Each structure stands twice: as structure tokens, then as C-alpha cells.
Amino acid sequence: MKFGILLLLVVASLAVVRSSEDHKALNEKQHSILIKSLDKDYRPCADFYRYACYKWSDQHKDNGDNYTTVPEMMNYDINMEVIEYLEKTPETDMPGFVKLVKDFYVSCTESPEFKPLDFMHWMEKEEHIKWALFTPDAAEDFVFDWTKILATFRKYGFNNMFITESRHYQEGSHFITYLKKPMYSDGFNFVFNYEIDEYNETIPLPSGTMGFHDLWKYIDPFEDKLRDIKVEEQEKPKMFKYHELPYPWMQSYLKYLMEPEVIDPNMEVGIDNMAYMKALDSLLKEYDAKVLVRYMEIRFLQDADKFNKRATKNECMTTTKSLLPMAVEWIYEQMHPEIVKEMPKIEQMFENILKNVNKSLHMDVSEYIPKEFFGKLETMHMKVGMIPQENAKDLLESYYADVKLDAHEYYRNFVKMLEFYYKLEHTHFDYKNFAEDKGFFFKTPSYNFESSIRPIYVPSMNLMILPFGLFRPPVYHEDFEDIFKQSSLATIMGMGMFDAFLSTKDFPNEDVKKLAGVIGLHAAFEVFFSSLQSEEISRYLTMFGFTSLHELKQMFFLNAIHYKCEWYSGDADIVNFATSNLSDFTEAYDCKLNNFMRMF
């Protein structure tokens, strides 16, 4: 009995020692990563970004094909963990939605390269699509109706051609449909001449139809006119009943979109920009329906290029995660239960940063900061992970219940997932039996091949979502010292809050990003050092071999911007603007010149 007790005490003692050693090694490693990334050929006061990050890429040359930034590196590491989980876990132990993840991932790794002609034939066979490109002009069994084609492609995620359609549920099953001017966030997606040449070489068309080069004569000027539609933004949507819509093509489009449902003539429809719709209507009337339909099919093929099979396991898992984000999020959470235990600390960190950002913005006496900023900050909230914490497994089983994937049919799987999200957005989903935090449930993540791990801002909820994948080194670890947690995660939080203000009228995005850099970094620094006790300072100095508080502050700034490190120095201007306008940074690095440019 005594031996048993003694053994337990010895084991416990060894565990404490090992835990202490692991803790020490983990934090020393993080400090070492920062030091190895330094390039002392640059001066921190003149170019802090390159000083702190320029040698980061040297440490990761062997993985240059997998990632080029710290967020991409985190994504890669997560992907490798999830792949290992899928390969080692028996399918009998997997929930249905996890099996979907495996089927999609496996299909991506095994499928042949994407070929537009094969894809078109597959769509004909499996989805019963009849292509106008393959249809002679004189065909009597085909109606060249561009609104029908637009509605068909909308069901596969194609939602930025001419108009953008969305459905917003109010109370219960009541909804409002919105028709909006497309937001070309990355610029207008032109069809290029070389793409037409490729289609002409690889997609044989029957006689009697319009050839690709003949189509190009119409497409080129049409796209110039479409892109050049310039109108003022409308303050709020103008509301109509379906039967009151000003242009017949709007009614036709919505009728096809809602089939087989019978459309309610009193259905509410909001139009966000009447001037744009008027200009679009005039432009569309200039072109024959045969041209418009075929042009839209070419745009769909161009858009479908994102279906293209990825070359590596990492890219296949990133694609899988893009289309099944909550299922992959659930897997990662199961692998890292320690994140859930950290939630109270993370929530408190967010509240502290939010208060400090708010306080900093209220220091503005020039009234440059739009008043709406303050209103959003007052109600902004944060959630860790994209899924509810309560009954998440049951909810996800119901959420993905109708999805059927095939481990050998990648392109079919891709189309089915896009169709799934369309149906989800256009179907009332009853949450009441699943989770109390249904208001935070990220219902319809749009497709995006996102190879980075970063916060997600949901405007409709004024909500910042921090994916589970963000809580791993070099950003976060449960055993990181607070200086590492606060400098990295709190800075990311502070900067991420300003995503709520992007695309604000009369406030350029570039200014928002600069403001985010300065205030986000300032808030994280002030929250941490304002509460740091002298004994903690002494402990940190001993732990890292520092001789002054200045060195500790320098490490804070190095770790704060490490998340921004990448091969191509894309965020250098934002980081350097922030550090050159912070008196705390100026003091830490003894930057004499920066004293002339202090913001705080």
C-alpha cells in the first residue's frame, strides 16, 4: 500500500518536472524562432518588418512549395494533422460528416486533371445540363434564355454574373430575397483571348453553332461596357413585391431560381442599386440572347477552373477544408481539447482588447473616425471556433445529413458541395433543438480556397470568429508565457476588429488597415504591460536572459508581428507605419527619429 502511494507520488513528481521542462523548452523555442527570423542588416527603427522577419523564409526553404507565410504554415501543419487523423482512424469510428471529409479529400488526391470538355460532358450526364455552346442557332428544342442559365449556374455557386442574389431569413421561415450589384473584390474577372484560344482548341463545337472566336468579337466589347457601369451607391435597398419588379428578366430569373416551388407574387425583393440595374438592363438589351447565354457558359467554365484538382495533399486538404469547414473544425477540436479549456482566458483577452481599442479611438479629437465605428465596437463579440460548443456533433450530423459524396468522384463532389450550400442558404434551418448559441452558428460559409489561418469577421452578426487552428504555435499554446499569448493573439484580435470597418464610405481601406496596425498593436502592448507586476518582470528577465525591461518590450514587438512574416514582405508598410507611430516602440528600441512621428 505504502509502495503504491509512493509510486503515485514519484510518478506525479516526475510529471510535474517533465511539465516544467516542457514549459521551459516551449517558451525558449518560441524566443529562438524570433531570434532566428531577425535580419540585423536592417535597423528596427527604419524598417522593423524586415528586421523582424526577413530571415524567416530562410528557416522554411524546404517547405517553400507548401507555404510562404506564417498563416499558411499554420494551415499546412493543421492539414498534416487532419490527414494523419483521417488515415489512422477507422471509418467505423467516424461520424458521418467526418466520413464526408475523408471521401472528399481522397477523391481530390485520386482524381484526374480537370478538363473543361470532360466536365461539360459530365454535367450533361449527371446534372442534365444542356449547353448552348453545343446547340446550333436554329435548334427548335432549345430556348436561349439567359435568365434560366443564370438561375441554373447560381445553384452551383456562380453568383457574381450581372447580379448577386441572396436570401435573408427573418423570423421563422419568412425571408427576403435581395438582388445586388456584384462586388468584384479582386477586380472584374475578364475573359481573356488566350482562354478563348484554349477553349477553341480543346472543346470542339458542332456545325451551326457560334464558334469561340466569333463569340469573342462580342464578349470583348460587352465586358468593357459591363465593367464600365459606374453608379453611386444606394443608401438602402428599395423594396418591391415580386409582381412589382421593374424588369421582366428579374421575375424570370427568380421564377427559375425557385423552381419547383410556385413563386408568391407578394414575395419581398430588395434591390440594392436601382441605377445599376437600369444601366444593366439597357446593356443587356443591346445583345442577342444567344450571345449572352454562351458568354455566361464561358464564364461558368472559367469559374469552374477553381474545381481544378490540387497538386499536393496539402492543397487537397485546404480545398476540403474550404468546402467542409465546420466538419474539419470539429475534427481539429477533438484533437485539441486543450483549446476549449483556454476559452475563458481568450474571452477575457478579447474583452480587454476591445475596451482598449475603444478607448484609443475615443482619443481622436479631429473627428476623423466615423461615428459608426464606435457603435460597432460597443456590440462586437467574439467566438472561438466556427461551430457551437453545445451538441456540435448532433448539429453537424443534421447539417450535413443530405450530403452524399463518393471517394472516387472529385468533380461530382465539388459540384454537390456547391449545390449543398445554395440549398442551405435557400432553406429555413430550425436550430432550436440543437444549440443555445445558435446566433453564433456560422451557417453558410462561402467557398473560398483559403490557405491561411486568420480571424473571420461576420458583418451580419458583428462577430469575430477565431478558428480553432489559430490557437497553435507560433500564435498560441496553452503553455506559452502570457507575454507570447498577449503579444501575438491579442494583437491579431485588435487588428481583426477593424475588419468591421473595411469598405466604409469616405474611409479608405488603406487607412483602416493602417489604423488597425497602430491601434491593435498599441492595445495589446498597453493591456499587457499596464498589469505586469515587478516580480513577473524579474521572472521574465531571468527566463530569457535579459538585462533590462527594454529587451522584454523588444521581444513583445517581435512576437506581435511574427504572424505577419512571409517571403514577400507584403505587410511591411502596415507594420512599419504602426511601429513608427508608437511611442512605446520608440522607447523600446531607442528610436530618436520616430519621436517626431508618435501617435500615442
Side-chain angles (χ1 to χ4, degrees):
M1 184 70 174
K2 289 182 178 179
F3 175 77
I5 294 174
L6 180 60
L7 180 61
L8 288 174
L9 290 173
V10 170
V11 170
S13 176
L14 289 173
V16 169
V17 171
R18 185 168 60 251
S19 176
S20 176
E21 290 176 347
D22 291 345
H23 171 86
K24 185 173 184 292
L26 180 70
N27 285 277
E28 288 177 347
K29 179 182 178 181
Q30 181 68 7
H31 181 226
S32 175
I33 288 171
L34 302 178
I35 299 303
K36 289 178 180 178
S37 298
L38 292 180
D39 189 338
K40 294 185 178 180
D41 287 340
Y42 293 92
R43 292 184 296 113
C45 299
D47 192 341
F48 184 65
Y49 180 88
R50 289 177 175 82
Y51 170 79
C53 286
Y54 215 58
K55 288 193 175 180
W56 176 83
S57 59
D58 291 345
Q59 313 303 316
H60 300 273
K61 286 181 178 178
D62 293 342
N63 273 302
D65 292 337
N66 293 313
Y67 55 81
T68 59
T69 71
V70 169
E72 287 180 0
M73 178 190 72
M74 296 171 70
N75 179 71
Y76 172 77
D77 291 341
I78 291 167
N79 285 349
M80 295 304 104
E81 283 190 30
V82 174
I83 290 170
E84 184 178 11
Y85 169 88
L86 295 175
E87 290 175 345
K88 292 184 176 180
T89 303
E91 290 188 6
T92 53
D93 294 341
M94 293 180 179
F97 60 88
V98 174
K99 179 65 165 55
L100 293 176
V101 172
K102 183 172 183 178
D103 286 345
F104 191 96
Y105 168 73
V106 170
S107 73
C108 179
T109 60
E110 295 182 354
S111 293
E113 294 296 325
F114 177 79
K115 295 180 180 179
L117 181 61
D118 292 344
F119 176 71
M120 293 174 76
H121 288 324
W122 181 88
M123 290 287 286
E124 285 179 318
K125 179 182 177 182
E126 299 294 332
E127 300 295 309
H128 310 295
I129 297 290
K130 186 167 183 178
W131 297 92
L133 286 167
F134 291 155
T135 305
D137 289 357
E140 297 181 357
D141 61 343
F142 186 87
V143 178
F144 291 90
D145 186 341
W146 68 264
T147 62
K148 184 175 183 179
I149 297 296
L150 186 64
T152 299
F153 290 161
R154 169 69 183 99
K155 296 175 183 179
Y156 300 115
F158 190 57
N159 196 27
N160 65 345
M161 182 72 261
F162 301 162
I163 57 175
T164 295
E165 180 271 344
S166 62
R167 179 180 292 189
H168 294 185
Y169 279 89
Q170 309 296 310
E171 295 182 4
S173 59
H174 175 71
F175 64 86
I176 298 175
T177 296
Y178 290 93
L179 301 179
K180 302 178 182 179
K181 175 179 177 289
M183 296 292 292
Y184 300 113
S185 57
D186 296 322
F188 189 88
N189 193 24
F190 282 101
V191 175
F192 290 101
N193 196 11
Y194 75 86
E195 292 175 303
I196 294 294
D197 289 340
E198 289 177 4
Y199 293 145
N200 189 61
E201 292 175 4
T202 58
I203 304 176
L205 301 179
S207 60
T209 188
M210 189 178 295
F212 285 106
H213 288 128
D214 290 332
L215 271 171
W216 175 247
K217 296 174 185 177
Y218 294 98
I219 290 173
D220 193 28
F222 174 78
E223 289 196 323
D224 287 338
K225 294 176 183 178
L226 182 62
R227 179 202 59 184
D228 290 341
I229 294 178
K230 307 294 184 187
V231 292
E232 293 291 327
E233 294 298 322
Q234 192 171 294
E235 284 192 13
K236 61 180 181 179
K238 185 172 182 179
M239 304 306 298
F240 294 87
K241 303 293 186 184
Y242 170 80
H243 69 88
E244 299 171 339
L245 286 169
Y247 304 109
W249 55 264
M250 290 182 172
Q251 293 181 337
S252 178
Y253 170 63
L254 292 175
K255 177 175 71 71
Y256 285 126
L257 198 62
M258 295 190 66
E259 287 182 344
E261 296 179 41
V262 177
I263 202 161
D264 179 358
N266 292 314
M267 181 181 77
E268 293 180 90
V269 182
I271 298 178
D272 81 323
N273 196 309
M274 291 297 297
Y276 169 78
M277 297 300 176
K278 181 179 180 180
L280 175 65
D281 180 69
S282 297
L283 175 60
L284 294 173
K285 287 177 179 176
E286 296 179 22
Y287 289 84
D288 187 86
K290 296 182 178 67
V291 171
L292 293 175
V293 169
R294 288 163 175 151
Y295 166 63
M296 292 172 63
E297 290 182 348
I298 289 174
R299 282 291 302 272
F300 181 68
L301 289 176
Q302 183 191 49
D303 206 49
D305 188 52
K306 68 187 178 188
F307 297 5
N308 209 339
K309 177 184 181 299
R310 306 298 175 173
T312 66
K313 287 186 174 183
N314 177 48
E315 290 176 328
C316 276
M317 180 48 66
T318 297
T319 303
T320 304
K321 186 164 53 182
S322 297
L323 286 164
L324 291 150
M326 287 181 290
V328 177
E329 186 90 336
W330 185 88
I331 293 172
Y332 189 75
E333 180 188 349
Q334 302 310 300
M335 298 165 67
H336 292 276
E338 73 278 3
I339 297 174
V340 176
K341 297 176 183 177
E342 291 287 297
M343 282 186 181
K345 297 178 185 177
I346 296 165
E347 289 166 358
Q348 186 60 57
M349 182 187 294
F350 178 82
E351 290 301 320
N352 292 341
I353 294 299
L354 186 64
K355 288 178 183 177
N356 197 283
V357 168
N358 205 351
K359 182 185 76 172
S360 298
L361 286 176
H362 275 91
M363 293 169 61
D364 171 42
V365 294
S366 66
E367 297 187 353
Y368 179 61
I369 308 298
K371 294 291 187 289
E372 63 188 272
F373 278 30
F374 301 108
K376 286 187 177 181
L377 284 175
E378 289 293 334
T379 59
M380 185 179 290
H381 50 297
M382 179 275 296
K383 175 171 169 48
V384 175
M386 291 188 289
I387 53 178
Q389 288 304 300
E390 182 187 352
N391 298 330
K393 182 178 177 182
D394 292 341
L395 190 147
L396 292 178
E397 287 283 38
S398 296
Y399 182 79
Y400 291 112
D402 295 332
V403 180
K404 309 297 179 188
L405 301 181
D406 187 327
H408 306 290
E409 293 285 348
Y410 172 66
Y411 301 112
R412 174 191 178 280
N413 293 343
F414 208 118
V415 167
K416 289 302 179 185
M417 287 309 305
L418 294 179
E419 189 176 17
F420 163 73
Y421 283 119
Y422 167 79
K423 289 179 178 178
L424 185 67
E425 185 180 346
H426 289 74
T427 304
H428 175 60
F429 190 85
D430 186 359
Y431 303 96
K432 65 183 180 182
N433 295 322
F434 294 105
E436 290 182 2
D437 58 350
K438 55 185 177 293
F440 300 138
F441 182 47
F442 196 28
K443 182 185 174 190
T444 53
S446 58
Y447 170 79
N448 187 19
F449 184 77
E450 177 58 70
S451 58
S452 299
I453 300 297
R454 60 183 71 252
I456 302 166
Y457 177 70
V458 186
S460 62
M461 302 178 188
N462 197 20
L463 169 69
M464 180 191 293
I465 294 176
L466 302 178
F468 279 107
L470 197 60
F471 300 95
R472 62 180 298 119
V475 170
Y476 197 93
H477 190 282
E478 61 176 336
D479 287 330
F480 269 177
E481 288 288 340
D482 284 346
I483 189 170
F484 289 137
K485 293 178 180 178
Q486 186 74 29
S487 56
S488 188
L489 182 60
T491 300
I492 290 171
M493 286 178 176
M495 292 182 178
M497 290 172 187
F498 287 81
D499 286 353
F501 313 136
L502 293 173
S503 302
T504 299
K505 188 177 181 182
D506 300 325
F507 203 83
N509 283 354
E510 195 62 29
D511 287 1
V512 173
K513 292 176 182 178
K514 288 180 177 179
L515 196 63
V518 176
I519 295 183
L521 186 54
H522 167 73
F525 183 92
E526 187 172 85
V527 167
F528 179 72
F529 280 99
S530 64
S531 61
L532 192 62
Q533 302 298 313
S534 57
E535 57 269 21
E536 278 294 284
I537 293 174
S538 298
R539 189 177 68 83
Y540 278 135
L541 297 182
T542 301
M543 175 183 292
F544 296 108
F546 296 154
T547 59
S548 70
L549 181 59
H550 277 46
E551 290 177 279
L552 189 64
K553 291 180 177 180
Q554 289 173 9
M555 185 174 74
F556 183 98
F557 286 115
L558 288 173
N559 197 62
I561 68 105
H562 186 74
Y563 176 78
K564 297 282 188 181
C565 290
E566 59 178 73
W567 285 34
Y568 306 111
S569 307
D571 284 326
D573 290 345
I574 300 297
V575 169
N576 289 336
F577 180 85
T579 53
S580 65
N581 282 283
L582 287 173
S583 59
D584 294 312
F585 177 87
T586 298
E587 178 189 342
Y589 281 96
D590 193 23
C591 303
K592 300 291 192 299
L593 180 61
N594 291 23
N595 281 320
F596 292 100
M597 301 185 291
R598 288 187 299 180
M599 184 174 292
F600 294 101

